[in-house]
Amino acid sequence: MMTQPAITKPKPGLWAGLFAANMAMIAMLQIIDAIEPPAPFILIALNFILLVPMVKASMRRMEDRGAVTTAMRRYNRRFLGASALYAVAMIGAGSAAGYVPAASPLMWGLAILPMLPAFGMIWAMMRYLAEETDEYQRHRAVNAAIIGLGLVLVIGTGWGFLETFGLVPHVWAWWVFPAWAIGLGIGMAWTERRSGGGA
């Protein structure tokens, strides 16, 4: 009697959890001054590699349920491409900054460089919402984005007040985008679980 091979369920939540845990650890290391630039840029950029298996696992799960749309495939390609550029820009700008004179035009360029792929990720989401014809999928994407935005607003505002009263150290504002990405991942996992996708 032949046994069927075990079919493993894709686990996007595992990859999202690893991504979020790594980001939190990098943030804490920077807050306590255990790492200095360009190390945070490089570590964050490397952490973005986890988005690839997370998206693939999520797509496999949705394909198993017959819930993948053409717009979603385009979105994933655009978002992952922009994420890869973001990682390269962070590593490149963070590493090169030590060799460029302060306040020079080149330093301005290095500072702006990682912003461009971040705009690319936001543009990818906007295009997805414009192209998606499945109302339910669009609703889920909007909910996930709002959860990400809510996380950024709550953490940013809360940390700002704690910092104002001298209770926590200063954190650079560029952490807003990675925090939003974490919130977006949490939002996607939450909407997936609510829709019956499981863990």
Side-chain angles (χ1 to χ4, degrees):
M1 181 174 175
M2 292 179 59
T3 58
Q4 293 288 335
I7 299 172
T8 58
K9 285 186 173 182
K11 302 275 186 193
L14 170 68
W15 297 108
L18 285 172
F19 179 83
N22 286 344
M23 289 299 246
M25 187 169 32
I26 295 165
M28 289 311 302
L29 288 171
Q30 185 181 0
I31 288 167
I32 64 172
D33 291 326
I35 54 175
E36 295 179 0
F41 302 115
I42 294 169
L43 292 173
I44 289 171
L46 292 173
N47 195 42
F48 266 75
I49 293 170
L50 291 176
L51 292 179
V52 174
M54 182 182 81
V55 169
K56 285 185 176 182
S58 180
M59 288 296 287
R60 257 196 344 265
R61 175 177 282 171
M62 294 179 79
E63 282 171 353
D64 291 347
R65 293 175 30 218
V68 177
T69 65
T70 302
M72 191 173 297
R73 288 185 195 282
R74 282 193 209 117
Y75 164 72
N76 284 331
R77 278 195 305 270
R78 291 168 180 159
F79 193 86
L80 286 177
S83 296
L85 291 174
Y86 183 68
V88 169
M90 283 188 74
I91 290 174
S95 300
Y99 303 101
V100 176
S104 71
L106 186 54
M107 185 63 87
W108 280 87
L110 287 177
I112 291 170
L113 185 63
M115 291 170 46
L116 301 176
F119 286 135
M121 286 184 256
I122 294 167
W123 173 83
M125 177 161 279
M126 290 172 52
R127 288 302 308 150
Y128 170 69
L129 294 175
E131 293 172 357
E132 182 59 80
T133 56
D134 185 320
E135 292 289 329
Y136 177 66
Q137 296 296 346
R138 186 167 38 213
H139 172 73
R140 288 180 55 187
V142 168
N143 281 347
I146 290 172
I147 290 169
L149 179 61
L151 182 73
V152 167
L153 292 173
V154 168
I155 291 175
T157 303
W159 194 276
F161 279 116
L162 293 172
E163 187 178 323
T164 299
F165 290 98
L167 299 172
V168 295
H170 175 70
V171 173
W172 291 339
W174 60 262
W175 275 98
V176 169
F177 193 80
W180 174 79
I182 291 169
L184 181 66
I186 291 169
M188 288 178 174
W190 183 72
T191 58
E192 176 78 13
R193 187 173 286 278
R194 275 192 71 201
S195 70

